[in-house]
Amino acid sequence: MKSRILGVFKMRGGGFLAAGLIIVITIILLSLLADVITPYSPIKRVGDSFIPPSWEHPFGTNKLGMDMFARIVYGGRTVLSVVILATILSMSIGTALGLISGYVGGKLDRGLSFIMDSIYVFPSLILAIAITAVLGPNIINAIIAIGIIYIPTYFRMVRGQTLQIKASLFIEAARSIGADSLRIMVKYILPNLLPTILVVFSMNAADAILTEAGLAFLGYSVPPPTPDWGFELQVGVNYILSGYWWLIFFPGLMVTLLAMGFALIGEGLTDILNPREVT
Amino acid sequence: MKGISRITIIGIIIVILIIAGVAYYMMLQTQAPAKEVIVIGVTDKVTDIDPANAYDFYTWEVLNNIMEGLTKYKPGTTEITMGIAESYTVSDDGLTWTFKLRKNLKFADGTPCKAQDVVRSIKRVMEIQGDPSWLVTSFVDDVVALDDYTVQFKLKHAVSYFLALLATPPYFPVHPNYKPHEIDSDQTAGGVGPYMIKEWKRNELLVLEENPNYYGEKPKTKRIVIKFYQSSSALRLALESGEIDIAWRTLSPQDIEGLRGKKGISVLEVPGAAIRYIILNTQMDPTSSKLVRQALAAAIDRKDICKRVYLDTWVPLYSLIPNGMWSHEDVFKKKYGEGPNLDLAKSLLKQAGYSESNKLHIELWYTPTHYGDTEADLATVLKEQWEATGMIEVTIKSEEWGAYVDDARKGVFMASLFGWYPDYIDPDDYTTPFLDSRANSWTGSGYSNDEVDSLLDQASTSTDINTRTNLYKQVQTILADDVPIIPLIQGKLFIAYKSDIKGIVLDPVMLFRYYLVYRG
Amino acid sequence: MDGEVALYTEDLGVRYYIQRGVVKALDDVNFRLYKASLTGVVGESGCGKSTLGRAIIRVLPPNGEITSGRIIYNGVNIVELSEEEMRKLRGREIGLVMQDPMTSLDPLMSVKDHLLETILEHIEVSRDEALKMAEEALSSVGLSRELLKSYPHQLSGGQRQRVAIALATVLKPKILIADEPTTALDVIVQKKVLDLIEDLMRELSLTVMLITHDIALAAERADYIGVMYAGHLVEYGRVDQVIEDPQHPYTQLLLKSVPDIENISMVQSIPGLPPDLVNPPPGCRFHPRCPYKMDICIREEPKMIEVGEGHYVACLLRRR
Amino acid sequence: MGKLANYLVVRSLLAIPTILVLVTLVFILMRLTGDPIAAMVGMKAPPEVIAELRHKAGLDLPIHEQYIRYITGVFTGDLGKTLLYDRPVIKDILDHFPATLELTIYSFIISVLIGVFTGTVAAINQGKFEDVLMRFYGIFTYAIFIPWFGLLLQMVFGNWLGIIPIGGRLSAYISPPPFITGLYTIDSLLTGRLDAFFDALRHLIGPSFTLGIVLSGSYTRIVRANLVDILSQDFITAARARGLRDSLVIKHALKNALIPVITLMGLEFAILLTGAVLTETTFSWNGLGSYLVDMIRNSDYIAVQGTVVFFAIFVSIISVIVDALYAIIDPRIRY
């Protein structure tokens, strides 16, 4: 009884974080080392169509006779680059706007907050589809669309924290020694935001992965034959009755695993950095 | 805290039991459809049940079952026979056509259908200017009712295939209930056809029932229910589970493959009239070079496309005029071989100044959903085939249908994938819209050849089939040499049905006639 | 010795598990409550006095547990009772009043529902009888029955604490544990609430355990006093023994820190801070702050010894 | 009650600016597309026809006039006519909406039930194995990719076991119940059509469990966090110290923990709609989500615009309802 409670208490946070990191790093390594790991090209026919998983083709082959394992590991590059670039985009814009809005206050703050809140409450995938549909489906536009829809997530959090920190004593002190606004924001407030930004980043990356996959599933991400997990799944829809389960199972599993990896990191970081829950 | 878990475990067990019970009960519910009813499943959609605006394949099929025109196709052939008209005469200059109507024509509710109704309906189409109205306005100058049973057309110019045009929905008489000046999308009053609409729920179901006032032979089955599905898989499963009797358009290649050989299910396959092709831009570098276009044509392996992309549900096509239609000639096969002719392609590319180090860059466009979900595969395989020359690099791009059509017309695509369903069954419909410089602006190929234009003019006004055949053969030969368009494949039609269903007739016209099917 | 022992603990130990490690919240506590008397438990915050109260009624926080020792009530070691047996004891035999009346009532339930729920949980009576009992309980704490329909947020702090006391005593328990029942109240209300508890004690011949950080208050109201420091009971005895003749240096310092109306400038505070109970100091836990620290205090943990009749102290200075 | 009504009116008025921002955003987005008319007429239509249609759709007007016309339309319930079928957009939306509503209601119930259960188990076993397990469940379901999960359900339960249908709302041989609410399960019960009721329910299993399970993760997290917080509060200790049974104590805790959850439901609803788009696409569910995807594919920007606006209004209405619910349930709130 005693040791049981103790053990689990100790693994909280750290355990989630470690599990998440292992998943994410493994997937990143797989995609980075794709050329080394698999001898096959992801966009060339390597054998018959619809070969079930075997030693030679661990994830089987698809309709055009391409190796699914190769498509999955190379596909990781697409997903990761879209998601990382998109989250960096929303993180930098959201943080900058949130910082300025929270620090400057007044009309600017009210106006910005209002617009951000309006976007925030709107179903994100629907907005992302609308944006990519307008801009045209390609990798850059997918990044832009996903980047835009998550700006409010960072904005809200950064703005809230900035308001708190702004009121604290050491900012008063900094102002009294003559630091200007920009300096206060960058030198004094921003560093204090970093832990929270980190937590939001990892939770948000999980969201972004699912949104990217959703876009790809609906056909709004990269053009074929570039491999992309969500798109593989769209193709897989046709094979429910054919029994070609490997065309559905593996791509979706990868999406879910990667999103889960980031969510685990987020959960672990929340536990460690922030004793109170962030919901 | 142990009390809670016991309660919740019991709760979970109860919920599971309820779900299991309900599921079991519902499995017992699966029952066979009634005898005098045949249920047909489709993944297509009915757009407007109004001939003034309907311009898609499936809606035309429905219209053909609830309405009829002056002429119609004889089932199983591409031969035109009389419909609600008994006979016709045509003036020597081919400009005045006079039709005599049958005497006993009535709409489903008993309202008589006279020559004035025919004229009213056609004029309505001309006035509303819906999508298919050009099928009337491009040809007909005026239409009048000489008496209750005589309709007379004055044409703008002689048209050799006018009888085939008359068999298209814009010429069908509609019930007076149709709003006279605007599109009436959900109007169920119908026309003079073997069936009438009993119930209509958009995207869910359409119930047709025998028209008691139809002049002709009674339908073999009293009631036809059409169910609309959203995916081929759902359609296939519905057939397998007995929810529907016939799975019609459109089963995906792998589902057709899966249904073949299933017990109690038959699959019928006939050649279709749909064709697919690549449009090349003759005004844009590098496809402005004839050598490049010829090289692209030579490198294609149509059999591989049919096998890998379509699991042999399509067949290779070596001309724009489909296999089996009069005047068809395998011009591309003659010129470039069955393909892939990589040696020829390479030497053509070398002549055009390209090499392994100086590669030809091609942008290939497709649209992801309009032609089914195999489109990305098609583009991928084409890329693979062209790149097999070692001297071409292909970038694939896509756009949604709306922007796609728009940009094609603007001529911004270098190479783009399109497809064609015929409006009327005549070689003209497979040549003029593509090759005639006055009619092909939508393709964006920028192709213009005076010789072709004049050959097509002669062919469309001539009434002699031998003359016309000869003219179309010449056009096809020029096509294979100039290559503004590379024909790829021709569709087959598949219909899967329970083996006790009889009377399914499919022909290149591609219209499924519901009134001929019955349960044997 | 007067009085009979109602409940006593033997070498009671309680641990809390937190991320940083294990908190040794109570160690070897030998404590007793005499029947129908008021025992004050005093000490600085974090010394374990609340933990002792909660351990006795076995409602420790989820990360805490009793790891050693026994709690004997009516000859039964209640540490070994099953959760269900213990539940029947709570409220019925032992009641608890908590510190903050603002948070100790369910904000979504009316006073009536609180009372009815408690009554119906323990005894089989009809709703009407239960209602009657609820009204009696309210009037016994000096509240009108009109308040039955009120929700906690509609009551004043004093009223809420009365409701809390009514809830704890409605089933006429033998023991009432009052955990700083007046800390959150203003002075006038404090006195009334304490008077109420004393009245109830006489009326119901209750045994009261009054947990407080205020030794003066304990001196005024209690019959017995236990002094706690860092998870240890360091001194225990009758009120006159402990107040008049404090034996432990900590008790002496505590008493000196009480403000004296006549000589306010004489108030002394105890230097230093209470120790971290994850890593408590070796030997006597008080030695880092003790003015009489000896070398042995660092090495040896003092045991409770009896210095007068029923007067115990845990200090190496008093070792005979 | 008059006060509540006042509160609701004020709260509803506050939603209008939010709707306006979204409507404007959508309007701008949609005007950036290529020519939408081309999409509708296909490739065979002559230029005169296109010009005529542009005029009919008001596309030849200056952009600010189009905007004003549009905004007025939105607030008078006129969302224009679809380019594709020339039907009023609002009619299409109302045709498809009941399917989405039915799906979201069932999914919502499932997700709340599972979420409350798992969250409670986690919180009352805080720090123990069950807690870690449930938290893991929360993270896992949060990360599940809806189409994947839906397709797996279809493959396993639809194809292999043959227990559930793989898509659609009703079997072909069952005629839909008469239209009352548009929700098949309700309409069929109201009209006594038990066959349709069970069939509709059977079709609901796949999609509503997919969406319900995926969304339950968020509730697990929220419920757990709130409950952990509540469980550490004095009134819970006090309740336990009065000898209340655990189930009663948890009832106290849950009631208090669920109140903040209600406010989060408004937000969750937006996520629910996002999920509905994917679920409907995966399960061939003919609701507003499929309709939207369909219309985007056809570049029918008037229909897209209308649908997105409708979603925005719907989300706003839900948040008003949630606020009202909150005000009614919590006795502490004085509006």
Side-chain angles (χ1 to χ4, degrees):
Chain A
M1 179 71 182
K2 186 169 156 186
S3 55
R4 182 161 156 245
I5 295 185
L6 185 64
V8 177
F9 254 84
K10 281 208 162 155
M11 84 150 265
R12 279 184 57 179
F16 284 134
L17 184 61
L21 282 174
I22 289 172
I23 294 174
V24 170
I25 290 173
T26 310
I27 294 178
I28 290 177
L29 282 181
L30 275 178
S31 19
L32 284 183
L33 302 176
D35 325 44
V36 186
I37 293 167
T38 171
Y40 301 119
S41 154
I43 56 166
K44 290 268 153 62
R45 164 160 49 168
V46 298
D48 286 345
S49 307
F50 305 126
I51 303 176
S54 61
W55 281 114
E56 202 177 336
H57 304 289
F59 291 177
T61 63
N62 70 3
K63 178 173 155 191
L64 299 181
M66 299 166 177
D67 181 59
M68 279 304 282
F69 183 71
R71 287 188 68 76
I72 296 243
V73 289
Y74 280 97
R77 292 185 178 179
T78 316
V79 176
L80 284 166
S81 46
V82 170
V83 165
I84 289 170
L85 288 175
T87 37
I88 287 175
L89 181 77
S90 35
M91 183 166 67
S92 36
I93 297 180
T95 306
L97 287 180
L99 198 56
I100 294 168
S101 187
Y103 188 81
V104 175
K107 272 187 187 158
L108 175 81
D109 181 39
R110 280 202 296 277
L112 264 178
S113 302
F114 183 68
I115 293 173
M116 290 293 170
D117 284 352
S118 304
I119 300 176
Y120 187 70
V121 297
F122 197 75
S124 55
L125 180 68
I126 294 174
L127 203 57
I129 301 171
I131 296 172
T132 22
V134 167
L135 298 177
N138 64 45
I139 194 159
I140 306 282
N141 294 340
I143 292 170
I144 293 174
I146 298 173
I148 289 177
I149 60 173
Y150 289 119
I151 291 175
T153 312
Y154 293 91
F155 174 87
R156 286 164 58 102
M157 185 275 304
V158 169
R159 178 182 167 274
Q161 294 249 314
T162 305
L163 285 178
Q164 269 180 28
I165 298 171
K166 199 175 106 179
S168 62
L169 272 179
F170 76 100
I171 297 298
E172 285 296 320
R175 214 177 275 139
S176 67
I177 60 165
D180 62 15
S181 296
L182 186 69
R183 201 178 150 75
I184 291 178
M185 282 194 265
V186 176
K187 282 258 173 179
Y188 294 89
I189 299 182
L190 196 57
N192 282 292
L193 295 173
L194 286 179
T196 333
I197 292 180
L198 200 61
V199 172
V200 177
F201 173 80
S202 39
M203 292 311 285
N204 176 235
D207 268 343
I209 287 159
L210 295 171
T211 304
E212 194 278 340
L215 278 181
F217 176 71
L218 297 173
Y220 295 99
S221 193
V222 295
T226 318
D228 184 341
W229 301 338
F231 183 76
E232 297 297 318
L233 215 57
Q234 182 203 36
V235 176
V237 173
N238 298 315
Y239 306 116
I240 292 173
L241 301 179
S242 317
Y244 305 144
W245 56 270
W246 58 93
L247 297 177
I248 295 171
F249 182 72
F250 293 114
L253 180 71
M254 294 305 282
V255 175
T256 304
L257 271 182
L258 186 58
M260 191 170 75
F262 277 107
L264 281 169
I265 294 178
E267 186 88 358
L269 284 178
T270 312
D271 267 9
I272 290 165
L273 296 176
N274 213 4
R276 286 198 59 85
E277 303 273 331
V278 174
T279 46
Chain B
M1 307 226 165
K2 279 151 197 153
I4 182 75
S5 48
R6 206 178 313 134
I7 293 165
T8 38
I9 287 170
I10 292 170
I12 292 170
I13 292 173
I14 290 173
V15 170
I16 289 173
L17 283 180
I18 290 173
I19 292 172
V22 169
Y24 181 70
Y25 174 76
M26 288 181 303
M27 278 171 71
L28 296 179
Q29 290 285 300
T30 313
Q31 65 207 29
K35 245 215 161 207
E36 67 277 22
V37 180
I38 285 180
V39 185
I40 301 171
V42 295
T43 62
D44 278 305
K45 286 185 172 134
V46 168
T47 52
D48 303 297
I49 325 177
D50 183 348
N53 202 43
Y55 195 33
D56 62 280
F57 178 81
Y58 189 68
T59 310
W60 273 24
E61 174 174 304
V62 170
L63 291 175
N64 266 290
N65 279 288
I66 59 169
M67 296 176 181
E68 197 173 297
L70 296 163
T71 61
K72 62 183 179 185
Y73 289 96
K74 202 167 159 187
T77 68
T78 53
E79 199 182 309
I80 297 283
T81 61
M82 287 298 103
I84 58 170
E86 266 173 355
S87 61
Y88 74 99
T89 54
V90 56
S91 64
D92 289 342
D93 60 1
L95 290 176
T96 309
W97 296 66
T98 313
F99 290 84
K100 278 277 174 215
L101 291 191
R102 291 176 197 272
K103 295 287 183 303
N104 52 352
L105 295 176
K106 277 180 190 164
F107 291 108
D109 63 353
T111 313
C113 173
K114 302 210 163 118
Q116 290 82 352
D117 292 293
V118 177
V119 172
R120 169 179 55 79
S121 303
I122 296 171
K123 287 209 156 150
R124 179 173 172 269
V125 171
M126 295 167 84
E127 184 197 340
I128 289 176
Q129 295 203 338
D131 303 342
S133 60
W134 69 274
L135 284 165
V136 180
T137 50
S138 316
F139 309 101
V140 176
D141 189 39
D142 195 16
V143 54
V144 287
L146 300 180
D147 57 52
D148 280 1
Y149 301 103
T150 315
V151 177
Q152 191 176 69
F153 292 89
K154 291 259 191 269
L155 301 190
K156 289 177 172 165
H157 48 81
V159 185
S160 49
Y161 43 88
F162 188 59
L163 286 178
L165 285 174
L166 286 172
T168 61
Y171 289 91
F172 291 175
V174 297
H175 192 279
N177 278 4
Y178 278 79
K179 292 181 201 157
H181 308 295
E182 55 181 303
I183 298 161
D184 202 353
S185 300
D186 292 316
Q187 179 56 258
T188 53
V192 183
Y195 283 106
M196 59 183 189
I197 297 176
K198 182 89 182 162
E199 195 181 348
W200 163 231
K201 282 202 167 146
R202 187 171 282 276
N203 295 342
E204 270 170 26
L205 97 168
L206 174 67
V207 180
L208 302 181
E209 197 156 82
E210 178 186 286
N211 173 1
N213 291 311
Y214 184 54
Y215 72 87
E217 209 175 311
K218 294 273 166 228
K220 293 233 168 62
T221 299
K222 229 177 154 161
R223 185 185 273 220
I224 298 285
V225 176
I226 297 159
K227 284 286 294 187
F228 298 88
Y229 291 85
Q230 294 207 353
S231 71
S232 165
S233 304
L235 183 60
R236 170 179 165 188
L237 203 71
L239 180 67
E240 286 180 355
S241 70
E243 257 183 48
I244 55 174
D245 298 301
I246 298 171
W248 177 215
R249 291 167 48 88
T250 306
L251 287 164
S252 70
Q254 50 277 358
D255 285 327
I256 292 165
E257 204 181 36
L259 281 169
R260 276 204 177 114
K262 276 252 156 83
K263 210 172 155 247
I265 287 173
S266 310
V267 177
L268 181 71
E269 172 186 331
V270 293
I275 60 168
R276 299 299 313 274
Y277 44 87
I278 306 167
I279 294 175
L280 298 175
N281 194 330
T282 60
Q283 306 293 323
M284 182 193 281
D285 273 344
T287 43
S288 54
S289 152
K290 195 165 163 180
L291 290 169
V292 166
R293 300 201 297 270
Q294 289 179 337
L296 291 175
I300 283 171
D301 182 351
R302 292 176 175 79
K303 275 194 172 155
D304 182 51
I305 291 173
C306 292
K307 180 163 173 283
R308 272 208 288 158
V309 181
Y310 296 99
L311 307 176
D312 289 327
T313 56
W314 290 64
V315 293
L317 175 65
Y318 294 93
S319 167
L320 277 172
I321 297 173
N323 301 307
M325 179 173 278
W326 54 273
S327 78
H328 165 86
E329 196 103 334
D330 278 341
V331 283
F332 277 80
K333 196 188 225 164
K334 272 183 202 144
K335 192 161 169 79
Y336 305 101
E338 201 175 70
N341 197 338
L342 289 183
D343 294 337
L344 177 59
K346 279 184 200 168
S347 80
L348 285 166
L349 285 170
K350 271 196 194 118
Q351 284 179 52
Y354 296 98
S355 65
E356 266 87 0
S357 52
N358 175 28
K359 285 188 177 177
L360 167 67
H361 289 274
I362 295 289
E363 256 184 20
L364 176 65
W365 289 81
Y366 76 97
T367 185
T369 48
H370 188 77
Y371 295 112
D373 47 25
T374 42
E375 211 56 12
D377 290 342
L378 177 57
T380 303
V381 169
L382 282 172
K383 174 182 161 83
E384 213 182 295
Q385 293 180 355
W386 280 341
E387 288 183 348
T389 57
M391 296 162 73
I392 305 178
E393 199 173 293
V394 181
T395 313
I396 296 177
K397 293 190 171 174
S398 72
E399 261 184 355
E400 286 301 336
W401 179 238
Y404 193 69
V405 177
D406 199 26
D407 284 347
R409 185 181 284 115
K410 286 183 196 149
V412 300
F413 294 156
M414 184 186 295
S416 50
L417 288 166
F418 273 93
W420 187 257
Y421 288 117
D423 300 300
Y424 45 90
I425 302 300
D426 190 278
D428 179 74
D429 199 38
Y430 288 93
T431 47
T432 304
F434 302 92
L435 303 174
D436 189 324
S437 62
R438 294 151 300 179
N440 71 355
S441 66
W442 65 270
T443 63
S445 71
Y447 179 68
S448 169
N449 183 327
D450 293 343
E451 195 188 347
V452 171
D453 289 359
S454 91
L455 287 170
L456 287 173
D457 266 351
Q458 293 171 48
S460 71
T461 46
S462 160
T463 45
D464 178 49
I465 191 147
N466 291 327
T467 323
R468 293 187 69 202
T469 305
N470 189 22
L471 290 166
Y472 286 125
K473 285 193 170 161
Q474 289 179 49
V475 170
Q476 291 175 75
T477 310
I478 300 174
L479 163 73
D481 189 55
D482 282 351
V483 205
I485 283 172
I486 307 175
L488 288 176
I489 49 175
Q490 176 180 354
K492 286 196 255 184
L493 287 180
F494 290 89
I495 189 162
Y497 53 96
K498 287 196 199 148
S499 301
D500 64 339
I501 300 292
K502 302 278 184 303
I504 293 176
V505 178
L506 284 181
D507 50 49
V509 187
M510 297 172 56
L511 300 172
F512 180 24
R513 293 166 178 84
Y514 306 148
Y515 49 88
L516 297 176
V517 296
Y518 59 96
R519 206 179 290 274
Chain C
M1 186 62 230
D2 49 346
E4 231 180 294
V5 175
L7 178 146
Y8 65 96
T9 71
E10 267 181 22
D11 300 332
L12 188 65
V14 169
R15 301 281 179 269
Y16 289 124
Y17 303 98
I18 60 170
Q19 206 122 11
R20 227 153 37 84
V22 184
V23 179
K24 301 178 183 75
L26 282 188
D27 258 329
D28 297 332
V29 171
N30 293 289
F31 177 78
R32 62 181 66 148
L33 291 172
Y34 289 101
K35 271 189 184 160
S37 65
L38 197 154
T39 305
V41 181
V42 296
E44 291 163 293
S45 51
C47 69
K49 53 191 193 300
S50 288
T51 302
L52 179 60
R54 289 201 181 190
I56 288 172
I57 198 167
R58 276 181 53 190
V59 287
L60 290 167
N63 62 334
E65 61 179 330
I66 298 172
T67 49
S68 60
R70 308 197 294 162
I71 302 169
I72 309 295
Y73 171 71
N74 278 348
V76 179
N77 177 8
I78 61 174
V79 175
E80 284 171 354
L81 290 182
S82 74
E83 185 59 31
E84 182 61 18
E85 287 164 328
M86 188 62 214
R87 182 182 74 71
K88 286 180 179 149
L89 233 57
R90 294 189 195 119
R92 193 80 206 268
E93 303 276 327
I94 308 173
L96 175 71
V97 176
M98 306 205 15
Q99 176 176 352
D100 188 357
M102 307 300 281
T103 58
S104 62
L105 297 173
D106 183 339
L108 300 183
M109 269 171 70
S110 65
V111 172
K112 184 174 89 179
D113 290 341
H114 273 98
L115 282 161
L116 285 186
E117 181 188 65
T118 311
I119 297 164
L120 294 172
E121 185 73 11
H122 286 283
I123 51 179
E124 283 186 28
V125 288
S126 70
R127 252 188 102 78
D128 285 345
E129 284 171 81
L131 200 59
K132 205 172 283 166
M133 286 177 72
E135 283 171 12
E136 277 166 24
L138 264 198
S139 67
S140 76
V141 296
L143 292 175
S144 83
R145 47 173 305 205
E146 262 82 82
L147 291 180
L148 273 177
K149 282 192 184 128
S150 311
Y151 282 87
H153 69 272
Q154 295 163 324
L155 303 174
S156 72
Q159 284 173 325
R160 283 192 219 185
Q161 198 60 304
R162 281 166 194 267
V163 170
I165 294 169
L167 271 172
T169 55
V170 63
L171 294 165
K172 313 216 169 15
K174 302 284 179 298
I175 298 174
L176 178 69
I177 300 166
D179 187 354
E180 307 247 16
T182 56
T183 312
L185 305 174
D186 62 62
V187 185
I188 300 165
V189 184
Q190 269 188 17
K191 187 179 174 308
K192 286 189 179 163
V193 169
L194 287 170
D195 288 347
L196 170 67
I197 291 177
E198 283 193 339
D199 291 348
L200 286 170
M201 185 171 95
R202 271 185 290 277
E203 238 170 75
L204 308 170
S205 54
L206 263 179
T207 304
V208 178
M209 173 179 176
L210 178 68
I211 297 165
T212 175
H213 61 274
D214 185 352
I215 195 167
L217 188 134
E220 186 190 332
R221 303 270 177 174
D223 303 308
Y224 299 89
I225 286 187
V227 181
M228 294 195 66
Y229 182 79
H232 283 162
L233 185 66
V234 294
E235 184 158 1
Y236 181 85
R238 282 199 318 276
V239 68
D240 53 310
Q241 292 169 328
V242 175
I243 299 299
E244 311 281 307
D245 183 20
Q247 292 292 307
H248 199 281
Y250 178 65
T251 316
Q252 293 164 3
L253 284 168
L254 260 187
L255 282 165
K256 277 186 192 158
S257 70
V258 174
D260 190 324
I261 293 177
E262 280 143 46
N263 201 350
I264 204 137
S265 61
M266 289 299 288
V267 174
Q268 286 182 10
S269 65
I270 308 169
L273 290 169
D276 174 10
L277 290 181
V278 175
N279 294 300
C284 175
R285 287 186 182 174
F286 188 59
H287 80 254
R289 299 167 79 185
C290 183
Y292 312 109
K293 187 179 80 179
M294 305 177 294
D295 288 350
I296 190 171
C297 296
I298 304 172
R299 280 176 276 118
E300 196 175 317
E301 207 170 297
K303 293 269 173 301
M304 272 282 203
I305 46 173
E306 194 164 11
V307 291
E309 196 192 5
H311 187 188
Y312 301 85
V313 70
C315 179
L316 294 167
L317 273 175
R318 309 295 158 197
R319 201 159 59 169
R320 283 192 191 127
Chain D
M1 233 33 201
K3 272 188 183 167
L4 178 63
N6 270 346
Y7 169 81
L8 285 183
V9 169
V10 172
R11 181 64 189 74
S12 314
L13 288 177
L14 284 175
I16 291 177
T18 307
I19 295 172
L20 209 62
V21 168
L22 282 169
V23 170
T24 309
L25 199 74
V26 172
F27 180 85
I28 294 169
L29 268 178
M30 292 301 148
R31 293 309 133 137
L32 294 174
T33 21
D35 191 344
I37 296 295
M40 171 184 61
V41 295
M43 45 200 191
K44 297 171 183 174
E48 317 86 70
V49 178
I50 294 178
E52 166 69 24
L53 286 164
R54 283 181 63 86
H55 176 71
K56 247 172 69 184
L59 285 170
D60 49 353
L61 291 170
I63 194 90
H64 62 273
E65 268 180 52
Q66 291 186 37
Y67 178 70
I68 291 167
R69 262 171 67 153
Y70 190 67
I71 293 290
T72 353
V74 167
F75 285 97
T76 52
D78 173 18
L79 298 173
K81 283 185 167 186
T82 61
L83 295 170
L84 206 58
Y85 304 140
D86 203 38
R87 282 157 51 90
V89 174
I90 190 73
K91 193 164 180 287
D92 269 3
I93 290 176
L94 294 180
D95 276 356
H96 288 87
F97 181 60
T100 301
L101 192 65
E102 189 164 37
L103 172 64
T104 44
I105 287 175
Y106 280 85
S107 311
F108 179 73
I109 293 171
I110 290 171
S111 66
V112 170
L113 286 182
I114 298 180
V116 168
F117 172 71
T118 50
T120 310
V121 169
I124 62 181
N125 293 298
Q126 199 198 349
K128 298 193 194 140
F129 175 71
E130 290 90 330
D131 184 22
V132 177
L133 194 72
M134 291 303 158
R135 287 181 75 185
F136 185 79
Y137 170 85
I139 297 169
F140 176 67
T141 49
Y142 180 80
I144 289 181
F145 185 43
I146 289 177
W148 179 61
F149 193 58
L151 291 175
L152 288 185
L153 285 188
Q154 287 180 28
M155 209 156 62
V156 174
F157 294 101
N159 188 29
W160 293 348
L161 301 177
I163 303 172
I164 58 165
I166 61 164
R169 289 180 76 194
L170 218 53
S171 299
Y173 53 86
I174 304 272
S175 61
F179 185 93
I180 300 170
T181 60
L183 277 64
Y184 283 172
T185 47
I186 291 181
D187 289 356
S188 58
L189 278 186
L190 289 178
T191 53
R193 291 275 315 281
L194 274 185
D195 59 333
F197 174 74
F198 282 114
D199 194 64
L201 213 55
R202 204 164 71 103
H203 281 79
L204 267 165
I205 293 175
S208 60
F209 268 88
T210 301
L211 192 51
I213 287 177
V214 169
L215 289 171
S216 66
S218 315
Y219 287 104
T220 308
R221 295 158 60 89
I222 297 167
V223 169
R224 180 187 172 277
N226 282 324
L227 203 53
V228 162
D229 193 39
I230 297 282
L231 280 175
S232 71
Q233 289 194 9
D234 282 353
F235 74 88
I236 293 301
T237 314
R240 285 180 64 203
R242 290 202 298 276
L244 299 190
R245 259 169 294 142
D246 283 343
S247 53
L248 260 178
V249 174
I250 287 165
K251 205 179 91 190
H252 280 262
L254 260 185
K255 256 189 341 192
N256 279 278
L258 290 186
I259 284 187
V261 173
I262 292 175
T263 35
L264 284 158
M265 282 178 187
L267 251 179
E268 282 292 306
F269 215 85
I271 304 174
L272 192 69
L273 287 180
T274 286
V277 172
L278 290 174
T279 311
E280 286 181 10
T281 317
T282 311
F283 279 91
S284 317
W285 193 262
N286 190 17
L288 213 46
S290 313
Y291 177 75
L292 178 69
V293 171
D294 205 30
M295 289 300 116
I296 287 177
R297 283 186 179 152
N298 287 301
S299 303
D300 191 329
Y301 84 103
I302 291 190
V304 173
Q305 193 171 254
T307 313
V308 173
V309 165
F310 183 81
F311 272 127
I313 294 173
F314 184 55
V315 168
S316 306
I317 290 175
I318 289 290
S319 75
V320 172
I321 292 177
V322 162
D323 282 3
L325 214 63
Y326 191 71
I328 291 168
I329 288 179
D330 193 334
R332 287 166 296 186
I333 303 275
R334 289 285 149 255
Y335 22 83

